[in-house]
Amino acid sequence: MNLETSQAVFKFNINYNIFNEGTLALPIDLPGFVFRKARLAVTLLVEILANCVEQSKNKVQSGVEPVCLIDFWMQQLLKEIQESGSESHEVPHSSNIEIGGHLFDFLFAAQDASTSSLLWAVTLLAQNPDVLSKVRQEVSQIWSLDSGKLITAENLREMKYTEAVAREVMRYRAPATLVPHLAGEDFQLTESYTIPKGTMVFPSVFESAFQGFTEPERFDPDRNILGSVPVYKRNFLVFGADPHQCVGQRYALNHLVLFIAVFTSLLDFKRHRTDGCDDIVYVPTICPKDDCLVYLSKR
């Protein structure tokens, strides 16, 4: 990530923790309140990431080969700027600070949400040994460590049941339970109530996932296999919908499918169960109360 110095890393960690605390606080934007501290922390985080962008641009311009996602991004950006014949400041969305803001969004979405899904995947597989057995059977027919080969994108596409498990993990325990939206116009929600234009609305992604499904409280990957049961896409809002659909949807699903395939193939695991270990905690995405403590052993 080009955070070259330990001081920068320390500063980033401190401010990211402050930001996380702010997502759980009341939105009171006044001095001394957690929300204000979080908002200021975001500014510092974006500045640190903007510095990473600047370093990456300089490295790419000097002819050093790209080694990370930012480098490849900057390489393509600088190529487009050069081909356009424009100055870098004239090209939209190319400033260091704006790219730093996008990187912050990527980090928050990728780190917190993905971590939540990984924890719940292990938790739910431990609770459902029949599902775990089916996953292992499917993966073993497509890939094995002994093959000496990496899992390819084609392999992932063949893991239909494992993907169904990944989708059910996200439905059953949606990482981001609330996604704020601003009403762009008056919206009639019910016969008796219309949401006024300009209202901040917090639809519950979590609750919607338990509506419109047969036995929604049951963890059932089969519901996500096309042709087996009706799939209620309008209630599966983990990644949003229509123009607001998450651009990282396919990446997130592939990441979770890959994790499940590798984790279940290489390791045996047993949950360290305690009272309330499966309770939901908000950090700000949701995780098991015990952070999913498991005993691991090589298969």
Side-chain angles (χ1 to χ4, degrees), residues 40-190:
L40 296 176
V42 169
T43 301
L44 293 173
L45 290 168
V46 171
E47 289 176 355
I48 293 173
L49 292 170
N51 183 51
C52 294
V53 172
E54 182 178 8
Q55 291 183 42
S56 181
K57 285 181 178 178
N58 293 338
K59 186 170 69 172
V60 171
Q61 286 176 324
S62 66
V64 178
E65 286 296 314
V67 295
C68 68
L69 179 61
I70 301 178
D71 289 346
F72 283 104
W73 184 0
M74 294 308 102
Q75 184 185 57
Q76 182 62 31
L77 176 64
L78 293 172
K79 179 182 177 182
E80 292 177 2
I81 291 174
Q82 184 178 19
E83 291 176 349
S84 69
S86 305
E87 296 293 333
S88 60
H89 65 272
E90 298 175 348
V91 178
H93 314 302
S94 63
S95 70
N96 296 344
I97 200 71
E98 185 170 359
I99 296 174
H102 291 315
L103 286 173
F104 174 75
D105 290 341
F106 294 160
L107 279 175
F108 176 59
Q111 177 183 332
D112 288 46
S114 295
T115 301
S116 171
S117 294
L118 299 185
L119 292 175
W120 285 114
V122 175
T123 298
L124 293 167
L125 286 170
Q127 291 176 359
N128 297 272
D130 56 327
V131 173
L132 174 60
S133 178
K134 290 180 181 179
V135 167
R136 283 175 167 164
Q137 182 179 6
E138 177 182 70
V139 174
S140 67
Q141 295 172 351
I142 299 170
W143 174 85
S144 71
L145 181 64
D146 295 337
S147 68
K149 298 179 180 179
L150 298 175
I151 296 179
T152 65
E154 182 60 36
N155 293 150
L156 291 180
R157 283 192 288 270
E158 294 174 10
M159 297 179 185
K160 303 295 185 183
Y161 184 77
T162 307
E163 180 174 331
V165 172
R167 287 184 177 275
E168 184 69 350
V169 168
M170 292 184 172
R171 180 200 71 84
Y172 193 76
R173 289 292 181 261
T177 57
L178 296 172
V179 180
H181 291 274
L182 186 67
E185 58 185 36
D186 291 349
F187 181 83
Q188 187 171 352
L189 185 64
T190 67

Side-chain angles (χ1 to χ4, degrees), residues 24 175 177 206 280-287:
L24 302 173
T177 57
F206 187 88
I280 296 173
V281 294
Y282 294 80
V283 290
T285 51
I286 61 172
C287 294

